[in-house]
Amino acid sequence: MADKVVVKNLFKIFGPGPSRAFDLMDQGMGKEEIFEKTGLTVGVREADFTVKSGEIFVVMGLSGSGKSTLVRMLNRLIEPSRGEVWVNDENVTKMNAKELNEMRRHTMSMVFQSFALMPHMTVLDNACFGLDVAGMSKPQRHERAMSALEQVGLKTYAESYPQELSGGMQQRVGLARALAQDPDILLMDEAFSALDPLIRSEMQDELINLQEESDRTVIFISHDLHEAMRIGDRIAMMEGGRIVQIGTPDEILKNPADKYVQSFFRGVDPTTVFAAKDVARKSQLTLRWHKGEGYPVAALEQMRQEDRSWAYVLDRHQKFMGVVSEASLEQASERGDQNLSQALLPDVNPVPFDTPLQEILTIVRKYDFPVPVVDENNVYLGVVSKNRFLRTLEHGIDKPQTEATA
Amino acid sequence: MLDIFNFKEHIIPMEKWVAGAVDWLVGNYRPQFQAVKWPVEQTLNGINWVLQIVPPIIFLIILFAIAWRLSSWKVGIFGVITFLLAGYLGMWEETMTTLAMVISAVVFCVIVGIPMGIIAARSDRFVAFIRPILDAMQTTPAFVYLVPVVMLFSIGTVAGVIATIIFAMPPIIRLTNLGIRQVQSDVVEAAKSFGATPNQILWKVQFPLALPTIMAGLNQTIMMSLSMVVIAALIGAGGLGVPVFEGLNSLRVGLAFIGGLSIVLLAMVLDRITQSLGESKRIQQRDES
C-alpha cells in the first residue's frame, strides 16, 4: 500500500513566542512544566507517522491529549509550529492559500463532532457546500450531493433543514457533505461521539461498509477504545501531545506501551473487546501424551508434587488432547490402565481462540476446572479460569510477567 | 503661586482654536463637504418628493403590504390606523417629511455601517480604532452635534439628515460586528475545511447567520434616527419636529402635543415593522436546540 499521509516531526505550540517552548522541550521538559514556565501550551509534540492508502487510522487519547489539534494540522485548520505534513507526496505545510483550498476541496474533507451544519441551508445545500465553494454548477452539484445523501440514506430529507433532523441524521448529513467531495482522505473528528450508543455503532458499521465499497483513507479521532478497536486498522495512542504508541488494535491491546495506554482498558466492557486467546494463560500443569506404560501413576505423582487437581494433556505437537483430574487418574491407576487416554474426563471441549469472552462465560461456569483454549490447529494456548475471567471483567487485561510465563 | 488657580486669568483659548479649525475646514474643504452633502440631498429630495406626491390611499396600501409581508397583518392594520390618525391630526405632510428624512438617513447608515461592521468583525485593530469614535458618537448629546454640522453643512433639512446619519450609525456597525463574531466557530471552521475562501465564508455563512442580529441593529438605528430627526428641527429641518418647537416657543401646548403624538405613533409603527426582521424562525430554532 502506498503512503497517503506522511507526518514528519510535527509540533504545535499555542501562544506567543513558541521558540521558548522548543528550547525547554530540548531539555526534556513535559507539557505541564513548560506551561508553568512560559505559559505556552504544547498541543502536539514530535508527531511522526504514516497513514497508508485505504487504511482506517484511529488517533486515540483523552481530551486535551492533542488529537484534535493533530488532525487539524493535516488540513491546516491549525497551522503547525514546526514539521511537515505530506499528502499524496505534496508538502501541505508549504502550500499557499490557493493550493491549500484546492486540497481541502478535492483531497481531504472533514466530519465534525458537533456536526457543524449550516442552519440556514437545507440538507441538500449543506451536502453541496464543498462543491458550491469549489465553483461547481448547480445541477451538477445537486446530482453529486443527492447521490451522497443516498449513500447515507437521507435522500428523502433533501429539502429539510438540519435542525429538523435527529442527531444521528444530522451527522449523516455531515458525512454526506464530506462524501460529496469524493475525497481521497476523510478526517473524522470524534464524528460519532455526540451520538447515543446505538446510533453510534450503527454509524460505525456504516463507515466500515462505505469503506469496503471504496478505498478511501480515513483518519478517525476518538476517545473511545471500543470504537477504535471496532473500526481501526491501526491506532495511534496520544498522551500530553505525544504519540505514545502506534499499532494494530491487537498489538496495543496485548502490549500496551505504558500505564496510560493500559488505563484505557478500564471502563471498557472487556467481554466485547477480548477473545479467549487474550485472557488464556498457561498457568496449569500440562502432561505429555505418551503411549508408555505406568503413565497415570507418574502423572499422579507429578500432580501431587505440584499440588494441582487438574492437568491438561497435550501431544508432542502441543495439540490439546484432554483434561485429567486427580480422581480420574487415581481410578485409572487402580484399574491398572497403561496410558492416559482412559483417564481423560469425558465431554471436555476446548474453546476456540477467537471466542468472545461473552460466550465463554457459560462454558467457564459449566466446568469445575479452568477451560482450555486452542487455536485453529487445536494447539493448546492456555486456560481461562473462573478467577481469571472475573479479574478480566474487573480490571481489563493486565499482564503480570510471572503468570504469563508460568 | 496660587495664581495658577485664577480661572479668570488663565483660560485655554479652546473657543478660538475650534472656531479657527472650523473656519479653516470650511474655507479649505468646502467642495468636499458639499460633495458629502450632495448624495444625501438627492436621496432625501427624491424620497420626500415621492412620499409627498403619492396619494394617501396608495401610501396606506403599500404600507399595509410591507408591514404584512415583513411582520403580520395585525401590524399592517395598526400601521394604517396610525397613519390615518396622523393625517386626521393635520400632520400628514410633516409625517411624510419626517419619514423621508428617516429613510434617507437609514439608507446611508446601512450603506456605510454594514461594511464598517464587516471590517470590524475581521479586524481587532479596526475595532480598537473605531470603538472610541462610536462611543463618542453615541454619548455626545444630540444638541452638541448640531454645532459642527451647522458650521460645515449650514442649516436646513439636509444638514439635519447628516446629523441624524452620524448619530444613528453606531448601532448598525456594532451589531453587524457582533452578529458576525457570534456565528458559531464550528460552522466557520467547517466552511474553511471545505476550502471556502474568506469571502465565501463571509457571504455564504457568516452574513446570513448574522442577519437577525444585523436587523436588530437596523431597528435601533431607525429608532435613533427618528429621535434625532426631530431634534434637527432646531437647525431648520422640516417635519414633525417643527410643530413641537413652534408649539413650545409660542406656548401652544396643543400643537406641541399633536406633533409629539405623531412622532410617537410613527416610531411605534416603524419599530413594529422592523422588529420582526430580527426574528428569523430558523435560526432561533437552532439556538434552542
Side-chain angles (χ1 to χ4, degrees), chain A residues 246-372:
Chain A
I246 298 182
T248 63
D250 252 37
E251 285 164 12
I252 291 189
L253 216 143
K254 288 184 182 152
N255 293 307
D258 58 18
K259 277 256 183 321
Y260 172 82
V261 177
Q262 216 176 47
S263 70
F264 266 92
F265 305 141
R266 303 216 171 95
V268 169
D269 178 2
T271 59
T272 55
V273 176
F274 298 127
K277 65 180 191 306
D278 300 316
V279 281
R281 291 289 176 271
K282 290 185 174 168
S283 56
Q284 299 293 321
L285 180 64
T286 54
L287 300 173
R288 179 61 62 80
W289 179 260
H290 211 283
K291 300 244 155 93
E293 283 181 21
Y295 235 84
V297 183
L300 200 56
E301 186 53 36
Q302 209 178 337
M303 281 174 72
R304 283 181 179 148
Q305 266 176 24
E306 302 229 354
D307 196 19
R308 307 275 184 156
S309 311
W310 289 283
Y312 296 75
V313 183
L314 312 180
D315 75 359
R316 58 198 173 96
H317 303 294
Q318 296 286 307
K319 290 193 179 177
F320 175 78
M321 305 304 292
V323 181
V324 293
S325 70
E326 210 179 339
S328 74
L329 283 174
E330 273 167 6
Q331 284 165 18
S333 61
E334 277 164 26
R335 285 199 305 269
D337 288 338
Q338 289 306 302
N339 67 43
L340 287 174
S341 62
Q342 277 88 15
L344 293 180
L345 298 174
D347 304 326
V348 176
N349 295 314
V351 175
F353 69 106
D354 55 356
T355 314
L357 277 200
Q358 266 169 336
E359 291 167 34
I360 301 178
L361 178 60
T362 48
I363 305 169
V364 170
R365 257 182 26 206
K366 205 168 91 183
Y367 296 116
D368 295 333
F369 49 85
V371 178

Side-chain angles (χ1 to χ4, degrees), chain B residues 18 43 70 76-77 131 145 165 167 199 225 238 254 260 265 267:
Chain B
V18 173
T43 312
L70 294 181
I77 288 177
R131 181 170 289 152
Y145 269 95
I165 293 171
F167 183 70
N199 270 330
S225 64
L265 292 174

